[in-house]
Amino acid sequence: MMMGDAPVDVTAIICTRNRAASLERVLASAATLRIPDGTQWELLVVDNGSTDSTASVVAGFADRLPIRRVAEPVAGLSHARNRGVAEARGALICWTDDDVELDGEWLAAYVAAAARHPEAAFFAGNVTPVLEGPTPDWFARLQGEPGLRSLMARRTFDSVVPLSLEGGLMPYGANFAVRAAEQKRYRYDPDLGVSPQHRRSGEETQLVLAIIAAGGKGFSVPASNVRHLIPAGRQSRRYIWSYYRALGETWALLAERKAQPNFMGPAEAGQRRLFGVPLWVGRAAASSWLQAAMHRMLGRDAAWLRNIRTAAYHWGAVAYLFSRRSELR
């Protein structure tokens, strides 16, 4: 791979939109990365229609990083990811987000893993959430619960293991890498990922599953670490509801497509519907919401969390399926 007249081994990509302050923090951490001897790399910042000072922030690191800003005017994370793939010149593409801090060995660990596992097409590193204050007491107490571990994108690999959907051993978007040969063959689905039109997820999971279906292998990389900074605005009951509602919408979209497998949850069962919505989905949304409300009144925060995530998930599916029925009429 070439960058002008110089070879490029690794492309790191960050997609961003109107988060200049957060972006500056991750770029500052990128400037401290240890780059293995002989490794040539580039850092692409895909600007997905920012109207803040993103461009000047990127320009401010030109003397410290092999950085390049790429504009993608069509809003949506998957559009931005695809632009980054099209522009990437490295043989290995490393992905991270604009709301993290990179460990000094982040990139070097992927370079070593790619050399150690020439048979592997993709890799996944660790994501450690860091709560930014002020943090509500109830949120701090529950941060180890599954409902918040997922929301904060905590990913912990203590050893090198094969990656697969079974057991949830899949990459998270804040820290993963894909060889360019596979990455340029499979693109990100614009119907998935966050955009102004929807707040869905799973675009990286869908891509990795396509690679696995074609025979590709992946391994965890415990030495590659990022700190995921969780702002106060995401430490709220309202955000928990919106997050799990988006997951439910993603599941419903994949169910409608009859995706195999539906990596967001079990395949849809039952044919009885009301206004285009399977009755069991509506019942699950209503009963879980009622239980969540009861536990909230009784001050049982852990039980509230378990039920509200279920209620929000199924309500997201209800809202999506009902809207689709309206669109198709």
Side-chain angles (χ1 to χ4, degrees):
M1 299 279 181
M2 302 294 290
M3 179 179 173
D5 295 326
V8 175
D9 303 299
V10 181
T11 298
I13 303 178
I14 300 171
C15 299
T16 191
R17 178 182 170 90
N18 287 333
R19 299 177 77 174
S22 180
L23 177 66
E24 186 169 16
R25 189 159 42 184
V26 66
L27 294 182
S29 69
T32 68
L33 290 173
R34 182 182 72 83
I35 307 303
D37 292 342
T39 299
Q40 299 299 318
W41 75 297
E42 64 175 351
L43 174 57
L44 301 186
V45 175
V46 182
D47 186 345
N48 197 204
S50 296
T51 56
D52 61 1
S53 59
T54 290
S56 62
V57 167
V58 174
F61 284 86
D63 60 340
R64 287 176 278 173
L65 290 167
I67 196 167
R68 180 158 56 101
R69 174 177 163 271
V70 176
E72 173 48 62
V74 181
L77 180 55
S78 287
H79 290 297
R81 286 195 189 278
N82 288 334
R83 172 62 64 181
V85 172
E87 296 281 344
R89 296 170 177 151
L92 180 69
I93 297 176
C94 297
W95 294 95
T96 192
D97 287 342
D98 62 2
D99 59 354
V100 308
E101 290 178 340
L102 304 172
D103 178 78
E105 295 296 308
W106 174 72
L107 188 140
Y110 279 130
V111 172
R116 187 168 56 248
H117 296 286
E119 77 281 16
F122 62 97
F123 305 91
N126 290 331
V127 181
T128 301
V130 177
L131 301 180
E132 297 184 305
T135 296
D137 290 341
W138 65 267
F139 196 98
R141 290 196 308 272
L142 297 179
Q143 61 181 299
E145 294 286 327
L148 293 191
R149 288 175 61 88
S150 173
L151 179 145
M152 296 187 296
R154 183 183 295 275
R155 170 58 80 223
T156 304
F157 294 109
D158 296 321
S159 61
V160 177
V161 296
L163 299 174
S164 67
L165 186 61
E166 291 73 22
L169 299 176
M170 294 290 281
Y172 279 0
N175 190 11
F176 72 113
V178 185
R179 292 194 192 272
E182 283 77 17
Q183 182 70 92
K184 290 180 180 288
R185 188 176 306 140
Y186 303 100
R187 298 303 175 97
Y188 296 94
D189 184 349
D191 286 336
L192 299 178
V194 177
S195 82
Q197 290 73 42
H198 51 72
R199 194 183 178 279
R200 299 174 191 146
S201 61
E203 77 284 352
E204 74 278 5
T205 301
Q206 183 187 63
L207 180 137
V208 166
L209 288 176
I211 294 174
I212 292 174
K217 297 179 181 179
F219 292 95
S220 62
V221 184
S224 181
N225 292 276
V226 305
R227 289 163 27 103
H228 184 207
L229 306 176
I230 312 297
R234 294 190 178 187
Q235 302 170 42
S236 69
R237 299 180 193 273
R238 182 174 182 177
Y239 185 79
I240 291 171
W241 174 270
S242 67
Y243 174 81
Y244 280 104
R245 175 173 170 165
L247 295 190
E249 180 177 328
T250 305
W251 170 82
L253 169 70
L254 295 173
E256 183 182 55
R257 291 181 176 179
K258 296 181 170 50
Q260 297 295 331
N262 187 333
F263 56 83
M264 293 301 301
E268 182 179 339
Q271 299 300 317
R272 298 184 63 191
R273 292 173 178 258
L274 180 64
F275 302 118
V277 178
L279 292 179
W280 71 270
V281 175
R283 285 196 297 266
S287 64
S288 297
W289 188 89
L290 289 172
Q291 291 182 65
M294 178 190 68
H295 290 302
R296 176 77 186 277
M297 287 189 297
L298 295 174
R300 299 170 179 169
D301 288 328
W304 170 84
L305 177 61
R306 289 192 297 272
N307 283 279
I308 205 65
R309 66 185 289 210
T310 301
Y313 185 93
H314 288 97
W315 179 251
V318 168
Y320 173 80
L321 293 170
F322 183 78
S323 67
R324 285 290 294 154
R325 177 180 180 273
S326 299
E327 291 170 8
L328 295 173
R329 291 180 63 179

